[in-house]
Amino acid sequence: MKNLFIFSVLIITLFLPLCSCSQALDAATEESICISLPSWPPQDALAESYPQLTRWHITIANAREEKSFYTSENTVLIHTKKNRPFCLLAQPLTLLFDNKECAYFQPAGYLYPAENMLTSASCASWEQGFLAHIMKTVFSEGRAESLSPVEAEYLVSIFNWKKAQQSIEKKLSQDDKLFYNPWLVPQRPLLEGITAQSFKTSLLNTTGSVSLETSKLPAISYLSTFIPENQFLAARNQITVIKNVPLLLGDGKKSGIFITYKSTKNISLEFIYLPIYIEDI
């Protein structure tokens, strides 16, 4: 990431004393955090429509590394150094009609330590999944740009994740005709805003979004990949799409449609079978 690399040079120049603290960072107090995963099926109006959960794909990222594993438990125990930022993503893997696995739904997320400023409970939530993904990407691109762990942690720590999450949750709580789905936010401008310290809440807007009535689509039982949208979908039979950007919508069990909305009279549909989840080798 170009801006990330430029900013890393700025960090080295202005905050070189921080690097001398690396040994102290390694000796920081450790703590264990028990993170609760969301309940399954989600308790909304479409609860009976969700496919069966097989396990969770857990990804944990920090300045030093990224690791992943699977669990069927409803909690995850994390050992970390106190106040050292990391993020957790928990993607539900569910059964298709033929008993194979699918990774159809967007992950839930947990931010540390920013999450503790939002709620006293250590719980991964669907609402925090997007920002957890963004933090993971910042860490990943920092390693790709050869930032040291101290520099990457500083870069992540100076961004106000709490304010960004509050902005997302405010948008989600608004009773608008158009549902806000953070996964539709353009990610590259947002990442550049974070790394260049030029973040504006407008970067969290879903520019070009429109509401599409499911009555204009083939008749199947639709589920949004973003779990909080399904309550809205059940109540209003509408889904939010971005003009000219393909969106996958399906039943979570077998069938899916790639929707490309150009105008009310020009909607392209591509029918697919939902893809089978294949573990990384």
Side-chain angles (χ1 to χ4, degrees):
M1 184 193 300
K2 180 174 64 176
N3 286 332
L4 186 56
F5 177 76
I6 294 174
F7 189 63
S8 70
V9 176
L10 183 62
I11 292 175
I12 294 173
T13 304
L14 299 179
F15 299 96
L16 188 60
L18 287 175
C19 298
S20 66
C21 300
S22 58
Q23 291 183 344
L25 293 179
D26 290 336
T29 303
E30 292 192 359
E31 65 176 326
S32 297
I33 305 173
C34 185
I35 302 173
S36 298
L37 303 180
S39 61
W40 194 273
Q43 296 305 298
D44 56 36
L46 297 179
E48 296 183 358
S49 299
Y50 288 97
Q52 180 181 339
L53 178 73
T54 58
R55 53 184 176 161
W56 297 91
H57 180 205
I58 306 297
T59 302
I60 300 170
N62 58 37
R64 298 180 182 273
E65 62 181 354
E66 181 178 317
K67 58 184 180 180
S68 63
F69 57 91
Y70 300 91
T71 183
S72 298
E73 303 297 325
N74 56 14
T75 59
V76 175
L77 184 63
I78 305 297
H79 302 284
T80 185
K81 293 187 176 179
K82 194 169 185 179
N83 295 323
R84 208 57 48 76
F86 76 83
C87 61
L88 175 145
L89 289 99
Q91 183 170 35
L93 301 181
T94 56
L95 281 182
L96 293 170
F97 73 103
D98 57 1
N99 289 324
K100 292 183 171 63
E101 284 185 316
C102 184
Y104 174 72
F105 299 98
Q106 298 288 9
Y110 175 90
L111 303 173
Y112 177 88
E115 192 275 346
N116 291 333
M117 295 186 289
L118 298 170
T119 173
S120 59
S122 296
C123 303
S125 70
W126 305 113
E127 292 80 2
Q128 291 189 68
F130 177 71
L131 277 190
H133 167 75
I134 293 298
M135 182 186 287
K136 179 175 80 74
T137 304
V138 174
F139 280 134
S140 176
E141 296 196 4
R143 289 191 295 272
E145 296 287 358
S146 300
L147 291 187
S148 72
V150 172
E151 293 164 352
E153 286 182 353
Y154 179 80
L155 178 63
V156 167
S157 296
I158 60 175
F159 178 68
N160 193 334
W161 298 95
K162 176 184 177 181
K163 181 180 179 181
Q165 186 61 41
Q166 287 175 332
S167 178
I168 288 175
E169 294 185 0
K170 181 179 179 181
K171 292 175 183 289
L172 285 169
S173 66
Q174 292 173 344
D175 187 20
D176 293 336
K177 293 182 179 180
L178 185 65
F179 183 84
Y180 175 77
N181 181 347
W183 292 95
L184 301 181
V185 171
Q187 295 186 25
R188 182 50 51 187
L190 176 59
L191 287 164
E192 291 177 353
I194 292 172
T195 57
Q197 297 187 70
S198 58
F199 172 79
K200 299 174 291 185
T201 55
S202 60
L203 291 173
L204 292 171
N205 292 343
T206 52
T207 305
S209 60
V210 294
S211 181
L212 175 64
E213 295 180 4
T214 54
S215 61
K216 297 181 179 180
L217 303 174
I220 64 173
S221 299
Y222 293 107
L223 288 168
S224 171
T225 59
F226 180 48
I227 296 295
E229 188 171 21
N230 286 317
Q231 184 69 31
F232 184 90
L233 175 60
R236 305 195 187 183
N237 296 313
Q238 294 177 343
I239 195 82
T240 301
V241 299
I242 301 292
K243 287 184 178 180
N244 300 312
V245 177
L247 175 78
L248 175 62
L249 185 64
D251 60 6
K253 299 175 183 177
K254 181 179 182 180
S255 303
I257 304 174
F258 276 111
I259 304 167
T260 304
Y261 182 102
K262 298 178 181 179
S263 69
T264 54
K265 296 183 179 180
N266 188 354
I267 302 173
S268 174
L269 304 178
E270 180 184 352
F271 297 86
I272 66 165
Y273 287 111
L274 295 180
I276 297 170
Y277 176 76
I278 300 175
E279 291 187 28
D280 294 335
I281 300 175

